[in-house]
Amino acid sequence: MSSSRRPVIAGNWKMHKTIAEAEQFIQGLLPRVTTADSVDVVICPPFTALGAMVDSTRGSRVEVYAQHVNDQPEGAFTGEISIAMLEELDVHGVIIGHSERRGLYAENDVSLAKKVAALIDSSLAPLLCVGETEAERDAGTMEARLREQVTTGLSEVPSDRIAEVTIAYEPIWAIGTGRVATADQAQEACAFIRALIAERDASAAEQIRILYGGSAKPENAAELVGLADCDGLLVGGASLDPASFAEMVVAAG
Ligand code: 13P
């Protein structure tokens, strides 16, 4: 983490927590993170709990992101949610291209690029996820895959707006497996992503925040956030418990 970039600890709840459970979480989290004011704290609840979480975090430092959005303003897209619907709730941002959405719901780099561009034109911040499979890493194609995901994902964003995007490097083999990337692996990938962005714009590369995700937990949070090119964490399982999530926020400060 560079001192010029504020660290972010973001919790991706995936398909967890009813509104009642989310309320219970936030009552447990807020008192634990009041002093960690050098860290940006983000929670990403399911759609149904977004409104309640925006209300419950108002006036606090916690920001609320959705986990997914459609790039079209409206239309016959059953089950989808538009940017305007999220803006109306005062949501702060959206996760784009999580590997579970790429893998289970066939999202691809070209469609994700449209979403990132649509978000840049809105009041919502995009958090774009990238990362290789274990097979790609073993085959030596990790860098090619990251290049494709980052360059295509950002292709419709003007260079002077790239720093408004946050990237999350989430190696798929480390997600939900308990197998965290080593510090060297995480640093190497985050540095590679920053170098890719520098090919577009050197100042954007210096400013953009790049997070690590994949079996991050309180025990490894400080080491990961301490890496030169890692500016925070996108946390799955360990973000579901307020005490463990708060520990990671404090470790990043
Ligand atoms: P875990 O922290 O449960 O491995 O999940 C990571 C993730 O997918 C966050 O988006």
Side-chain angles (χ1 to χ4, degrees), residues 12 14 95 98-100 129 170 174-177 213-216 234-238:
N12 175 11
K14 308 188 180 184
I95 298 176
H98 190 280
S99 60
E100 286 148 18
C129 298
E170 299 206 302
I175 294 178
T177 59
S215 300
L234 182 56
V235 188

Side-chain angles (χ1 to χ4, degrees), residues 27-80:
Q27 297 321 318
L29 179 70
L30 292 179
R32 291 181 162 97
V33 297
T34 45
T35 54
D37 54 9
S38 60
V39 183
D40 288 344
V41 184
V42 174
I43 56 170
C44 312
F47 284 128
T48 47
L50 285 174
M53 288 303 93
V54 168
D55 287 344
S56 296
T57 56
R58 228 182 269 282
S60 81
R61 307 174 21 258
V62 177
E63 296 197 338
V64 179
Y65 280 35
Q67 299 174 17
H68 165 67
V69 76
N70 194 289
D71 65 295
Q72 294 300 308
E74 62 183 0
F77 304 109
T78 301
E80 290 294 285

